[in-house]
Amino acid sequence: MNIQWYPGHMAKTRKILNDNMKLVDVVIELLDARIPISSKNPDFDDIFKNKPKIIVLNKSDLADEKVCNSWSKWYNSKGYANIFIDSIKGKNINQLKGQMQNLMKDKIERDKLKGRISRPIKTMIVGIPNVGKSSLINKIAGKASAVTGDRPGVTRGKQWINVNDQIQLLDTPGILWPKFEDIEVGLNLAITGAIKDDILDTVELASTLFEKLVRLYPKNLMERYKLTSIEGKTGLELLEIAGKNRGCIISGGEIDMSRISAIVLDELRGGKIGKITLEKPEDSGNGGNG
């Protein structure tokens, strides 16, 4: 299952990013804490080059805390400023504001010497679709300033938002990249909801998710879908059993595979299967996609 999705507005977004780089002091690169490797757009490092950057991993409430700690240690070992947040509940948002001001401390001091005392820190928030950029902005700003939604591709244009006298935020649309070189990256993005379900084979996707859970979180999988045995069974076979156990039956006693697949993906994205992280630092050749 080779997934590719690059709507036309994403090419425009790349232009927005390039055009606004000179205006920006700090970049917040927002990743999904469940898939830190797959949710990192490889083009961003080239676009942002030497800009001060904070790696912010959202949806940490849905991720495995132990694995989040491993990622934090990895980022720290590479010298990357990083913070795990929950943009819905506001976890660690104040800490993030502090990090932004800390990164800009020297520049603020230089501005003061030039008589520019109250210039706000201009921050650009970037990330893949549906990673929670607008929710994060609303939490930082303390009001519903950005359009939010639970589907990818809600924000379509750039918008500057004044948080206070100290911080200005630039919200940008979610952006993927033209070609996923690694099939696993496309699958992980699709499983977690960064790619629209209506262009996907959801049965194959849910089967793939089950295979990942057999390897990573077998207990969660068995408990959630009342599976007595997972040994030697394919993801598709386990999905069929889960469908039967959940009563997803159509006429003739057949399993409604589309329905159980939609349920499984929805439950993974909503944290109902448990706190799940699909990637660890050691899963990538360079220990992460930094």
Side-chain angles (χ1 to χ4, degrees), residues 18-57:
N18 281 316
D19 290 351
N20 285 277
M21 278 319 297
K22 285 179 187 171
L23 304 174
V24 172
D25 300 312
V26 178
V27 172
I28 291 177
E29 184 174 7
L30 198 58
L31 305 181
D32 186 325
R34 299 166 298 175
I35 51 166
I37 299 168
S38 295
S39 60
K40 179 177 174 63
N41 188 326
D43 293 345
F44 284 167
D45 286 342
D46 181 48
I47 295 170
F48 305 131
K49 294 193 176 88
N50 300 319
K51 286 280 176 188
K53 183 172 78 171
I54 304 171
I55 294 171
V56 177
L57 297 107

Side-chain angles (χ1 to χ4, degrees), residues 90-126:
K91 178 188 167 189
N92 290 339
I93 298 298
N94 286 335
Q95 213 175 312
L96 172 58
K97 288 182 188 176
Q99 279 206 23
M100 285 159 59
Q101 284 167 328
N102 196 41
L103 263 185
M104 291 308 298
K105 202 163 56 180
D106 291 345
K107 188 169 175 56
I108 290 166
E109 288 304 315
R110 286 198 303 272
D111 282 351
K112 277 184 185 173
L113 291 173
K114 292 174 187 172
R116 298 166 71 189
I117 292 171
S118 296
R119 193 176 82 79
I121 301 166
K122 293 192 170 179
T123 308
M124 181 188 280
I125 298 186
V126 296

Side-chain angles (χ1 to χ4, degrees), residues 202-228:
T202 53
V203 175
E204 193 174 343
L205 198 58
S207 301
T208 301
L209 170 59
F210 266 27
E211 283 166 12
K212 286 175 180 285
L213 294 177
V214 164
R215 184 168 48 86
L216 298 169
Y217 296 95
K219 194 177 169 199
N220 296 55
L221 178 65
M222 291 174 78
E223 283 178 3
R224 184 70 192 171
Y225 300 102
K226 298 182 169 51
L227 305 172
T228 51

Side-chain angles (χ1 to χ4, degrees), residues 257-270:
M257 295 301 284
S258 293
R259 190 172 153 214
I260 186 59
S261 298
I263 288 170
V264 165
L265 292 170
D266 187 58
E267 291 189 344
L268 180 278
R269 294 164 189 170

Side-chain angles (χ1 to χ4, degrees), residues 45-246:
D45 286 342
D46 181 48
I47 295 170
F48 305 131
K49 294 193 176 88
N50 300 319
K51 286 280 176 188
K53 183 172 78 171
I54 304 171
I55 294 171
V56 177
L57 297 107
N58 193 24
K59 308 196 181 185
S60 63
D61 56 310
L62 302 174
D64 184 330
E65 194 176 347
K66 210 168 155 187
V67 185
C68 287
N69 289 337
S70 296
W71 273 109
S72 187
K73 282 176 189 164
W74 183 83
Y75 286 121
N76 289 336
S77 74
K78 302 289 179 184
Y80 297 133
N82 68 95
I83 188 162
F84 284 76
I85 66 160
D86 171 359
S87 67
I88 303 297
K89 292 181 182 162
K91 178 188 167 189
N92 290 339
I93 298 298
N94 286 335
Q95 213 175 312
L96 172 58
K97 288 182 188 176
Q99 279 206 23
M100 285 159 59
Q101 284 167 328
N102 196 41
L103 263 185
M104 291 308 298
K105 202 163 56 180
D106 291 345
K107 188 169 175 56
I108 290 166
E109 288 304 315
R110 286 198 303 272
D111 282 351
K112 277 184 185 173
L113 291 173
K114 292 174 187 172
R116 298 166 71 189
I117 292 171
S118 296
R119 193 176 82 79
I121 301 166
K122 293 192 170 179
T123 308
M124 181 188 280
I125 298 186
V126 296
I128 61 169
N130 211 29
V131 77
K133 292 182 301 302
S134 298
S135 300
L136 172 58
I137 283 172
N138 292 338
K139 272 292 173 216
I140 293 174
K143 57 185 184 293
S145 312
V147 182
T148 60
D150 61 357
R151 65 191 190 280
V154 174
T155 307
R156 286 301 179 96
K158 69 167 187 177
Q159 48 182 340
W160 280 103
I161 292 141
N162 289 317
V163 175
N164 51 37
D165 292 341
Q166 298 168 308
I167 299 170
Q168 271 187 346
L169 295 174
L170 177 63
D171 186 18
T172 58
I175 179 172
L176 292 170
W177 48 106
K179 185 170 171 53
F180 306 139
E181 300 296 338
D182 185 343
I183 290 171
E184 282 298 305
V185 166
L187 288 169
N188 286 335
L189 290 168
I191 285 168
T192 51
I195 295 171
K196 288 182 178 176
D197 283 341
D198 54 17
I199 67 154
L200 302 167
D201 180 338
T202 53
V203 175
E204 193 174 343
L205 198 58
S207 301
T208 301
L209 170 59
F210 266 27
E211 283 166 12
K212 286 175 180 285
L213 294 177
V214 164
R215 184 168 48 86
L216 298 169
Y217 296 95
K219 194 177 169 199
N220 296 55
L221 178 65
M222 291 174 78
E223 283 178 3
R224 184 70 192 171
Y225 300 102
K226 298 182 169 51
L227 305 172
T228 51
S229 170
I230 56 177
E231 284 295 311
K233 292 185 175 70
T234 66
L236 187 61
E237 288 166 342
L238 292 171
L239 191 62
E240 283 178 349
I241 298 166
K244 187 179 177 185
N245 292 347
R246 284 292 182 89

